Amino acid sequence: CGDNLTWTFNESTDTLTISGTGDMYDYQGNTAPWQDYKPSIKKVVISDGITSIGESAFTACKNLESVTIGNDVTEIGLNAFNSCENLKTVVLGDSVETIGEQAFFYCESLTSIDIPDSVTAIGNSAFSWCDNLTSVVIPNSVTSIGARAFWSCDSLTIYCEAASKPSGWNSNWNYSNRPIVWGYNNVTS
């Protein structure tokens, strides 16, 4: 699954764990080595030491409910968790810089996501069709957001730390015209 990576599936906990150091391979279609386990996977753990999540690595893991991404991951690839329709919880490590195109597309059970201050780019349609996503805070660190990043997230309110739309954000980033709170500050006293 990567030059210096290994994967294990624990059948008693339905947990797929990726361990090692370095980048994960990219996958097309149904080529991930854990393909046969996809119907059983409920939890994915990307351990510290992994630096990227490959394209389409977990696409259509229909029963996946929880993802924990380690603190060394800097990039979540194109379609990485696309169509994981039962995904409810995602914990992003504090080194993620890029959330790829359609990374969480059609994760309709996802209700919220905490985007860490390390993130600088959110790809086209990254969270499109996350029907139950109700809130997201976009930190000041995000300098680029692609088209339709939150398209058809009909319950979503977007909280932006920036006072106004940064110039690097696509003009159609909020294509569904969801409510936005600009200048949001999550600090409580």
Side-chain angles (χ1 to χ4, degrees):
C1 60
D3 289 344
N4 297 304
L5 306 183
T6 58
W7 66 277
T8 57
F9 181 69
N10 182 322
E11 292 185 32
S12 65
T13 62
D14 297 323
T15 301
L16 176 69
T17 303
I18 312 292
S19 304
T21 57
D23 293 339
M24 186 183 294
Y25 295 144
D26 291 332
Y27 299 99
Q28 301 300 318
N30 297 324
T31 60
W34 43 83
Q35 180 63 35
D36 291 344
Y37 293 95
K38 274 188 175 182
S40 301
I41 298 171
K42 290 187 178 176
K43 182 175 183 180
V44 168
V45 176
I46 310 294
S47 301
D48 289 347
I50 312 302
T51 53
S52 71
I53 298 173
E55 293 180 9
S56 302
F58 305 101
T59 294
C61 283
K62 300 289 187 189
N63 294 308
L64 180 62
E65 297 175 357
S66 170
V67 173
T68 301
I69 297 174
N71 289 321
D72 295 316
V73 170
T74 60
E75 180 179 2
I76 300 171
L78 168 78
N79 292 317
F81 297 97
N82 187 324
S83 299
C84 293
E85 57 197 41
N86 285 303
L87 182 59
K88 296 175 184 72
T89 305
V90 176
V91 177
L92 296 176
D94 59 14
S95 295
V96 174
E97 297 171 2
T98 302
I99 299 172
E101 291 185 24
Q102 299 185 357
F104 294 97
F105 185 95
Y106 197 65
C107 291
E108 64 182 2
S109 296
L110 193 61
T111 58
S112 68
I113 182 117
D114 290 328
I115 298 176
D117 289 340
S118 56
V119 173
T120 60
I122 299 173
N124 294 338
S125 300
F127 295 97
S128 288
W129 293 96
C130 293
D131 298 344
N132 291 301
L133 191 60
T134 59
S135 69
V136 64
V137 176
I138 301 176
N140 272 325
S141 59
V142 177
T143 57
S144 171
I145 297 184
R148 297 178 173 91
F150 300 97
W151 186 36
S152 198
C153 296
D154 296 335
S155 302
L156 181 63
T157 299
I158 302 168
Y159 298 88
C160 296
E161 290 181 355
S164 62
K165 183 180 89 58
S167 61
W169 293 17
N170 184 286
S171 60
N172 288 320
W173 75 277
N174 185 17
Y175 190 76
S176 295
N177 201 28
R178 300 306 312 144
I180 303 169
V181 176
W182 293 105
Y184 178 75
N185 184 342
N186 195 22
V187 176
T188 57
S189 47

